């Protein structure tokens, strides 16, 4: 059952005037999650031939949270109003082969995918990205990189005014106020980072960036007993013009429940 919500309540209208694009409107939050049983589930599925990592279920959990629990996180600001996106698209950060640069893969309608469907999309598109065949926002990044300074900075500021502030679609270079999807997901644990505090890119209309830290074995209390468990920290940066800290809390509560039922992703 879908929740009804009004994205343009009185506080949201005031917030878009008080805060600028997210240099001064960011909310940060973290939560520690017990993924002991989820790791067992992922290992079992890999043995069955499904090529996934711990990142795959979390991408789908976040997407389904936006669908079922926190639709406010699937909104963005355009011309002083909060706009609800028509679908839930995940932008997944991926490490390039040289290990020095990040690329990205767009996963459309992530909330509707199964683990197998997501695994197929990422396996195909990550390979293309690492070969240099990037699409969408990545192409825009490459175009900007070819411009000399200071023209590069001037163009970015113009794009921000026209596309982000005024909400105008530019056919070339295919840049719109919704080019970066509903949220960005980055597995920083894969590069050895335990906890990350992500940035909200100023030239995007992203309301949320989520990072997944490395998994560590730590003592935890289970049924009154101290036992070793596998724990990781999820972090999120939110645009305070669109949402409040309570929405981040609802996201994290949803994740805590979802990881106990990974079979739902099949």
């Amino acid at each position: 059952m879908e929740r009804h919500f009004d994205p343009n309540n009185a506080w949201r209208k005031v917030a878009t005037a008080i805060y600028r694009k997210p240099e001064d409107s960011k909310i940060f939050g973290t939560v520690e999650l017990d993924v002991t049983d989820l790791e067992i589930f992922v290992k079992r599925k890999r043995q069955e031939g499904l090529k996934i990592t711990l990142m795959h279920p979390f991408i789908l959990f976040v997407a389904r949270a936006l669908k079922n629990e926190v639709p406010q996180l699937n909104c963005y600001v355009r011309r002083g109003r909060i706009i609800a996106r028509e679908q839930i698209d995940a932008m997944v950060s991926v490490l390039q082969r040289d290990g020095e640069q990040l690329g990205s893969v767009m996963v459309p309608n992530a909330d509707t995918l199964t683990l197998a469907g997501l695994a197929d999309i990422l396996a195909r598109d990550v390979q293309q990205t690492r070969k240099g065949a990037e699409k969408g926002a990545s192409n825009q990044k490459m175009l900007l990189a070819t411009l000399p300074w200071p023209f590069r900075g001037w163009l970015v500021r113009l794009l921000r005014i026209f596309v982000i502030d005024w909400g105008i679609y530019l056919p070339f270079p295919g840049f719109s106020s919704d080019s970066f999807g509903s949220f960005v997901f980055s597995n920083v644990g894969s590069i050895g980072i335990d906890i990350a505090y992500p940035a909200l890119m100023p030239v995007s209309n992203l309301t949320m960036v989520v990072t997944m830290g490395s998994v560590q074995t730590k003592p935890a209390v289970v049924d009154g007993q101290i036992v070793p468990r596998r724990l990781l920290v999820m972090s999120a940066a939110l645009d305070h013009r669109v949402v409040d800290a309570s929405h981040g809390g609802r996201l994290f509560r949803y994740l805590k429940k979802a990881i106990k039922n990974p079979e739902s992703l099949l």
Side-chain angles (χ1 to χ4, degrees):
M1 181 177 178
E2 294 187 14
R3 292 170 174 260
H4 175 74
F5 70 99
D6 177 15
N8 288 284
N9 57 44
W11 167 237
R12 294 275 73 90
K13 292 178 181 178
V14 173
T16 62
I18 292 175
Y19 296 116
R20 294 178 296 165
K21 177 62 188 162
E23 289 93 339
D24 55 2
S25 64
K26 288 176 285 189
I27 300 172
F28 295 104
T30 63
V31 64
E32 191 171 58
L33 299 172
D34 186 336
V35 295
T36 307
D37 296 334
L38 185 59
E39 276 195 319
I40 295 172
F41 169 82
V42 169
K43 182 179 180 180
R44 184 170 72 248
K45 291 304 166 185
R46 288 181 63 86
Q47 292 172 343
E48 294 173 2
L50 186 58
K51 296 181 179 180
I52 61 173
T53 67
L54 202 59
M55 176 183 73
H56 288 74
F58 273 113
I59 293 171
L60 298 188
F61 287 147
V62 172
R64 294 187 183 190
L66 268 60
K67 176 67 175 179
N68 300 319
E69 182 63 27
V70 205
Q72 293 87 347
L73 289 171
N74 195 35
C75 299
Y76 63 98
V77 176
R78 187 176 68 194
R79 300 181 186 178
R81 288 182 57 81
I82 309 300
I83 308 298
R85 291 182 170 90
E86 295 182 358
Q87 62 188 53
I88 298 172
D89 301 332
M91 177 83 78
V92 182
S93 296
V94 296
L95 197 63
Q96 302 286 44
R97 287 193 185 279
D98 59 11
E100 297 292 333
Q101 299 185 67
L102 285 176
S104 57
V105 171
M106 181 69 78
V107 181
N109 296 300
D111 59 304
T112 67
L113 296 175
T114 62
L115 277 175
L118 177 62
D120 289 343
I121 290 173
L122 289 184
R124 180 193 67 218
D125 290 355
V126 166
Q127 287 292 75
Q128 292 178 349
T129 297
R130 288 176 174 169
K131 291 177 181 177
E134 296 182 289
K135 300 180 288 185
S138 297
N139 275 336
Q140 296 152 12
K141 175 184 67 178
M142 298 304 294
L143 172 65
L144 289 171
T146 62
L147 295 176
W149 183 91
F151 302 106
R152 184 166 58 243
W154 295 346
L155 180 56
V156 167
R157 285 191 286 272
L158 284 174
L159 286 173
R160 180 173 175 176
I161 291 171
F162 281 100
V163 178
I164 304 302
D165 296 341
W166 295 353
I168 298 174
Y169 172 69
L170 299 180
F172 180 81
F175 196 42
S176 75
S177 55
D178 196 23
S179 292
F180 292 85
S182 303
F183 65 94
V184 167
F185 189 98
S186 182
N187 179 14
V188 297
S190 65
I191 55 175
I193 297 177
D194 299 333
I195 304 174
Y197 301 96
L200 288 170
M201 189 162 51
V203 292
S204 76
N205 257 333
L206 286 167
T207 294
M208 180 174 66
V209 178
V210 181
T211 59
M212 186 180 94
S214 59
V215 184
Q216 299 184 356
T217 302
K218 295 182 179 180
V221 178
V222 178
D223 296 328
Q225 301 294 319
I226 299 177
V227 295
R229 302 291 287 181
R230 298 285 284 166
L231 305 175
L232 67 76
V233 172
M234 298 284 293
S235 300
L238 310 176
D239 186 344
H240 199 5
R241 299 176 304 164
V242 183
V243 294
D244 300 317
S246 61
H247 299 102
R250 286 164 56 187
L251 168 69
F252 289 148
R253 286 196 297 272
Y254 183 94
L255 293 179
K256 287 180 179 180
K257 293 180 181 179
I259 61 177
K260 297 178 181 179
N261 184 29
E263 298 288 345
S264 65
L265 301 177
L266 300 175

